[in-house]
């Protein structure tokens, strides 16, 4: 199999970074950070929260594996580690949002979601016939639906910001990064 050129793997990296930013924005809204009076970490959760955490990180793992195609990690341990590290950062940040707290189970389920997403990539890439670019586009083109869905969601989110000026700046940065992703697609 032909190794991907830097141009080929740049699309995967761009979409991965974009998706990570989206997940961070979703999980840290309303962006009112304060120093907590007491650090609150818990193990408790409910079943819908477990499922939501796994589903939220499925695309992260898939995109991580897509962007690291040269890597021969068949068991996707690196994707699991990436998911856990991203989740640790989110859970740590949530300790500084009033009314929120860190959950150890969230870190585990988010890591599991990233691992499952990476395993789906490994299974799909193994089933696609050898075909170089055609094979890669078979996986990358459906991912563009994610990008096209996030642009209207971002626009609707900006409309609902009201008086939150900081949120507008974050949406502007997200929009600029989305433009970078679309430019990467055009170049690709």
């Amino acid at each position: 199999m032909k190794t991907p050129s830097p141009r080929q793997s740049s699309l995967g990296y761009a979409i991965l970074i974009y998706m990570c930013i989206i997940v961070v924005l979703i999980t840290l809204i309303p962006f009112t950070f304060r120093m907590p009076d007491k650090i609150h970490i818990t193990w408790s959760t409910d079943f819908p929260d477990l499922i939501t955490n796994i589903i939220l990180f499925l695309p992260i793992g898939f995109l991580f594996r897509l962007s690291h195609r040269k890597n021969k990690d068949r068991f996707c341990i690196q994707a699991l580690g990436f998911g856990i590290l991203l989740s640790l950062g989110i859970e740590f940040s949530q300790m500084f949002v009033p009314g929120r707290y860190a959950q150890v189970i969230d870190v585990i389920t988010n890591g599991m979601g990233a691992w499952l997403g990476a395993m789906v990539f490994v299974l799909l890439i193994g089933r696609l016939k050898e075909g170089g670019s055609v094979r890669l586009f078979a996986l990358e083109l459906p991912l563009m639906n994610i990008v096209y869905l996030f642009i209207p969601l971002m626009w609707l989110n900006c409309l609902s910001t009201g008086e939150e000026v900081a949120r507008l700046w974050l949406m502007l940065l997200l929009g600029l990064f989305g433009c970078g992703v679309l430019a990467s697609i055009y170049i690709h």
Side-chain angles (χ1 to χ4, degrees):
M1 184 170 121
K2 183 174 105 173
T3 59
S5 69
R7 179 181 278 180
Q8 286 176 324
S9 57
S10 67
L11 177 61
Y13 281 115
I15 297 175
L16 172 65
I17 293 168
Y18 187 70
M19 191 63 173
C20 288
I21 290 171
I22 292 289
V23 167
V24 167
L25 288 175
I26 288 170
T27 55
L28 294 180
I29 286 175
F31 308 111
T32 53
F33 298 103
R34 292 191 188 108
M35 192 59 103
D37 297 331
K38 179 180 161 185
I39 302 229
H40 187 75
I41 300 173
T42 183
W43 279 86
S44 66
T45 192
D46 56 356
F47 185 72
D49 193 36
L50 288 173
I51 300 302
T52 302
N53 286 329
I54 290 171
I55 291 172
L56 183 65
F57 272 68
L58 277 171
I60 299 285
F62 187 91
L63 293 168
F64 181 85
R65 194 66 180 99
L66 175 71
S67 63
H68 292 83
R69 288 188 292 260
K70 291 189 285 186
N71 192 336
K72 301 294 183 202
D73 183 14
R74 289 185 36 210
F75 299 109
C76 304
I77 302 302
Q78 289 179 345
L80 173 67
F82 181 77
I84 288 173
L85 285 175
L86 179 61
S87 183
L88 278 171
I90 290 170
E91 293 300 316
F92 178 76
S93 299
Q94 283 181 347
M95 290 191 300
F96 298 98
V97 177
R100 307 283 294 273
Y101 48 90
Q103 292 180 300
V104 177
I105 293 294
D106 284 359
V107 174
I108 295 167
T109 54
N110 290 342
M112 180 71 75
W115 179 77
L116 286 172
M119 291 302 290
V120 167
F121 177 86
V122 169
L123 291 172
L124 286 177
I125 200 76
R127 291 182 178 254
L128 293 173
K129 294 184 169 139
E130 294 290 327
S133 298
V134 174
R135 184 170 117 166
L136 294 176
F137 281 129
L139 293 176
E140 288 178 350
L141 285 178
L143 295 175
M144 285 316 304
N145 291 327
I146 293 172
V147 174
Y148 290 130
L149 284 174
F150 284 135
I151 291 173
L153 286 174
M154 187 176 62
W155 177 71
L156 288 173
N157 196 21
C158 284
L159 288 177
S160 68
T161 58
E163 300 294 321
E164 294 181 51
V165 177
R167 199 166 170 187
L168 284 172
W169 283 108
L170 288 171
M171 291 301 128
L172 176 65
L173 290 173
L174 185 60
L176 289 173
F177 193 80
C179 291
V181 169
L182 294 175
S184 176
I185 292 164
Y186 177 74
I187 292 169
H188 184 58

